[in-house]
Amino acid sequence: MLLIPVELVNYFLLFHRPIQVMTPALKFSTLLISLLVLALVLVLLGLCAGSSGFESLGILIPGHLAHDLMVNIRLPRTLAALSGGALLGLAGAVAQGLFRNPLADPYLLGSASGATLGVSCALIALGGVGLHAGWLVRFGISGSALIGAWVGVILSVFLARGFQTSYRLLLCGVVVGVIMGALCSALGILHPQMLQSLQSFMMGSTLFADIQSSWLMFGALAIAILWALRYARALDALSLGELTAKSLGVDLTQTRAHFIGILSLCTGVAVSQLGLIAFVGLAAPHVVRNLGQVLYRDLIVLSSLCGAVLLLGSDIVARSIIGPQELPLGLVTALLGGLYLLWVMNDHALGVSGE
Amino acid sequence: MLGNVCVKSPLIEVQDLFVKLGSKEVLQGLSTRFDSPKWVSVIGANGAGKSTLLKAIASLVPFEGQIHFNGISLKLIKPLERARLVSWMGQTESRLSGLKVRDVVMLSRYPHRGRAQLDSDCDEEEVTRALDRLHVLNLQDQVFARLSGGEQQRVLIARAMAVRAPLMLLDEPFAFLDPPHQAELVTTLREEVLQGQCVITVIHDLNLALQTDWICLLAKGKVFFEGSSDDTLTHRAMEAAFDHRVKVVQTQDGWVCLTQ
């Protein structure tokens, strides 16, 4: 199950603190424009690519044969990948800033396992129907995923007795994740018929996303970005150490509460619409930081955009590379993300250690 | 202007300070006062409570007892206001920040600006001044995490200085610095004090402590002795506090502390 690597990464991040490799810095505006252009190109690509292979840009004209296909299937999926990726990129940047660890990902407070447990319960309650059933079923599953994710985070915060220390929060997040994962496995043994559908959820996909999903995700994104930008300066101060931030007047408890709220909003909404998508949240902030942007007011916006680009790119690959079949989206992101991390770690191994 | 015109309160007054870290009673009823402008060095054996005293004054650890800033209890001052009055540099804080040096020092303006994102001309000037005083202006576009220990140390001191707080607390500012940079720092801190600032530093090197104005000697969580760094009584107290394994002697250039 993909859940185990996610938990291992969470455990690993408690002790390991690598330093980023810096290439010459690009200006914020340059990076912003480049990412926007890339996003636009990918959107066009996404509208043209699909299970029947690539079609020309003529598909955008209403008279075209495949135009309806484009509007009803590819457009919602493309927009979902864009908005979902943005949510995950933003959440990743927030998680890495709040816990001051470049290996943090958005799922670290039990939201992934919570969502999975929620979906398992829903699948059992709905009598083990496939995810191909009607919209009510899909709504029930999305809703359970969202509630499950939020329950996971609330439980972690409750166990940690509030927002007082980062270390305690992280530890409780891991504990909650493991316990919920175990409960989920137990449910799987008792009701094996739901396992296949659960597996599809955990692999992640844009298959079940419709236009409403994108509206929801873009809405959540707008709220989350404004909310995060409001407290971004506190994250910068935190990079110098918690006591230093406190000595500068940062209210640590309040800051943590706000950012965990932002994290839950982003991951909950993204997971409910797209399932579990690994590595986008982890990699997007890294890519942006390696291109020279580390101030959080810049990192928040660019990381979102980068996440959107990464997920949309992965979705296009997933949809078209072995057409007419589809690769699971989570698989593609995990592969690409894993390769990227390997490459980054290799770079560090050649550098001076202990720096 | 805080404080009464007729009666001048000391800048910092500590009364019966008790601080417990984990299960250990680190400060046990410490009382002292510091006036401005002065350069105070807090010295003592390992574990005497020096860093903890500074953290308590900066309100970074919970404490019992009274700490007054210009006559007002620190507990009554809001965090951002307190951050404008007391600036702190820690000994073991993170040095992994990927921010550029200029952005690190710009964070010193947080108490003045809150969460606002755009920095004013005044902020830019203060940052440039602090970078210049610590001779790290040429490093301002470099990534903090990639600097050497000494360079990072000077950037962190610049960060504390750019807050322009009336009270500056520096924990082991001379660590990682080679002798020429240590001498430069002594000159810089003396100039800050001349401009009216109160600087309290925790120092391990007793020779450097003898170059400050006032020595506060801690032992077992309390003040063992306090006095001017020129005073022979202070010197005898220092020798006693370190089990007579040190000796303070006069040389042509000033007082020197020898280990035996």
Side-chain angles (χ1 to χ4, degrees):
Chain A
M1 285 190 158
L2 273 174
L3 206 55
I4 295 169
V6 168
E7 296 301 345
L8 274 179
V9 169
N10 289 342
Y11 189 72
F12 188 50
L13 75 84
L14 286 172
F15 305 104
H16 188 66
R17 291 169 177 266
I19 300 186
Q20 297 89 314
V21 173
M22 301 297 275
T23 53
L26 290 175
K27 275 185 67 180
F28 172 71
S29 43
T30 315
L31 209 48
L32 185 68
I33 293 171
S34 319
L35 283 172
L36 281 171
V37 167
L38 192 55
L40 195 62
V41 167
L42 283 174
V43 166
L44 290 173
L45 208 60
L47 294 175
C48 300
S51 50
S52 43
F54 282 83
E55 269 138 345
S56 67
L57 280 172
I59 203 172
L60 294 168
I61 303 163
H64 196 282
L65 267 172
H67 180 79
D68 282 333
L69 172 79
M70 189 270 296
V71 169
N72 293 326
I73 296 178
R74 289 185 193 163
L75 184 63
R77 294 185 68 174
T78 302
L79 290 176
L82 207 63
S83 48
L87 281 171
L88 289 172
L90 174 58
V94 166
Q96 289 176 11
L98 187 60
F99 296 105
R100 298 183 298 126
N101 193 307
L103 278 184
D105 77 19
Y107 301 122
L108 48 61
L109 287 179
S111 42
S113 6
T116 312
L117 188 59
V119 170
S120 320
C121 295
L123 286 171
I124 293 169
L126 290 165
V129 296
L131 289 172
H132 301 268
W135 73 270
L136 186 63
V137 171
R138 280 197 278 117
F139 183 74
I141 291 172
S142 305
S144 321
L146 182 63
I147 292 171
W150 286 352
V151 165
V153 175
I154 291 169
L155 219 55
S156 304
V157 171
F158 180 71
L159 261 181
R161 276 181 246 142
F163 302 100
Q164 270 136 23
T165 44
S166 296
Y167 188 72
R168 215 190 149 87
L169 273 169
L170 280 176
L171 215 49
C172 292
V174 173
V175 166
V176 165
V178 168
I179 292 177
M180 283 184 146
L183 281 174
C184 198
S185 305
L187 281 177
I189 293 171
L190 291 172
H191 299 269
Q193 68 273 22
M194 67 100 171
L195 279 177
Q196 187 152 28
S197 302
L198 187 66
Q199 188 83 338
S200 326
F201 167 76
M202 288 182 60
M203 286 283 159
S205 174
T206 50
L207 194 60
F208 309 110
D210 49 18
I211 281 289
Q212 281 86 345
S213 309
S214 302
W215 278 120
L216 180 66
M217 288 198 277
F218 277 121
L221 184 67
I223 295 172
I225 285 192
L226 291 173
W227 192 359
L229 281 175
R230 209 164 161 250
Y231 290 89
R233 211 80 181 96
L235 273 186
D236 287 328
L238 264 179
S239 76
L240 293 181
E242 289 194 349
L243 283 182
T244 304
K246 199 171 171 191
S247 77
L248 286 169
V250 173
D251 185 334
L252 291 179
T253 307
Q254 196 192 51
T255 303
R256 276 189 211 111
H258 279 280
F259 280 113
I260 288 173
I262 294 169
L263 255 180
S264 320
L265 176 64
C266 293
T267 42
V269 170
V271 162
S272 69
Q273 304 305 314
L274 300 175
L276 286 181
I277 301 203
F279 282 112
V280 171
L282 185 68
H286 260 267
V287 170
V288 175
R289 251 189 256 113
N290 278 341
L291 293 170
Q293 299 304 316
V294 262
L295 269 183
Y296 271 92
R297 66 162 188 252
D298 299 335
L299 194 63
I300 278 168
V301 171
L302 293 175
S303 188
S304 280
L305 204 47
C306 186
V309 161
L310 287 175
L311 191 59
L312 184 49
S314 308
D315 189 48
I316 292 171
V317 167
R319 276 191 271 147
S320 42
I321 210 162
I322 52 164
Q325 282 187 310
E326 279 196 23
L327 278 175
L329 183 54
L331 200 68
V332 176
T333 56
L335 271 170
L336 293 177
L339 286 172
Y340 172 74
L341 273 182
L342 265 174
W343 175 66
V344 166
M345 283 198 300
N346 231 15
D347 256 350
H348 292 157
L350 295 172
V352 180
S353 65
E355 188 188 320
Chain B
M1 198 40 204
L2 293 166
N4 198 314
V5 188
C6 304
V7 177
K8 187 165 188 298
S9 327
L11 189 70
I12 282 281
E13 178 154 20
V14 180
Q15 286 167 342
D16 295 318
L17 190 63
F18 282 88
V19 177
K20 197 170 173 180
L21 295 178
S23 54
K24 194 177 167 221
E25 291 274 1
V26 181
L27 296 181
Q28 302 162 22
L30 190 149
S31 297
T32 184
R33 56 203 291 160
F34 303 118
D35 290 308
S36 200
K38 204 182 263 186
W39 183 3
V40 179
S41 51
V42 176
I43 61 174
N46 292 335
K50 311 184 289 292
S51 297
T52 311
L53 173 61
L54 257 56
K55 281 182 190 164
I57 297 174
S59 302
L60 298 177
V61 289
F63 61 84
E64 277 166 34
Q66 303 287 325
I67 302 182
H68 293 269
F69 186 95
N70 264 339
I72 303 173
S73 169
L74 267 186
K75 286 182 180 163
L76 297 175
I77 304 179
K78 289 202 178 130
L80 273 178
E81 168 85 40
R82 187 254 311 146
R84 286 193 284 269
L85 300 172
V86 180
S87 137
W88 177 83
M89 185 201 88
Q91 196 181 52
T92 52
E93 287 297 276
S94 170
R95 285 165 186 248
L96 296 172
S97 178
L99 291 175
K100 292 204 184 82
V101 163
R102 193 174 176 86
D103 293 325
V104 167
V105 181
M106 187 59 79
L107 283 170
S108 63
R109 307 306 297 168
Y110 186 96
H112 301 274
R113 310 274 297 151
R115 292 192 299 260
Q117 291 289 357
L118 299 167
D119 302 302
S120 69
D121 289 333
C122 171
D123 297 324
E124 300 282 352
E125 269 173 37
E126 290 295 349
V127 168
T128 308
R129 178 191 170 269
L131 286 168
D132 191 39
R133 300 299 303 282
L134 271 299
H135 311 283
V136 284
L137 196 55
N138 56 321
L139 298 174
Q140 66 175 333
D141 289 317
Q142 298 206 27
V143 174
F144 179 72
R146 310 199 90 199
L147 299 179
S148 73
E151 289 166 337
Q152 286 179 337
Q153 186 76 358
R154 285 182 285 147
V155 170
L156 290 176
I157 297 170
R159 200 279 307 149
M161 206 178 272
V163 181
R164 298 293 234 143
L167 176 63
M168 187 159 67
L169 305 172
L170 303 173
D171 200 335
E172 296 283 1
F174 296 97
F176 300 103
L177 298 181
D178 54 24
H181 286 120
Q182 282 183 348
E184 269 173 15
L185 184 57
V186 170
T187 314
T188 306
L189 291 177
R190 281 241 180 86
E191 281 165 11
E192 289 295 305
V193 170
L194 276 174
Q195 285 175 23
Q197 184 147 59
C198 180
V199 178
I200 304 178
T201 49
V202 167
I203 298 182
H204 262 118
D205 185 340
L206 299 177
N207 281 306
L208 286 168
L210 286 167
Q211 298 196 42
T212 65
D213 301 328
W214 188 260
I215 290 183
C216 180
L217 188 50
L218 295 190
K220 294 201 191 100
K222 286 202 178 97
V223 174
F224 182 76
F225 190 87
E226 275 185 289
S228 165
S229 56
D230 287 335
D231 197 349
T232 44
L233 284 174
T234 312
H235 302 160
R236 298 292 87 78
M238 279 166 70
E239 289 165 4
F242 287 96
D243 291 328
H244 296 281
R245 299 227 289 272
V246 298
K247 190 171 172 177
V248 182
V249 296
Q250 178 141 48
T251 64
Q252 270 181 300
D253 306 300
W255 297 98
V256 159
C257 191
L258 303 170
T259 49
Q260 349 226 43

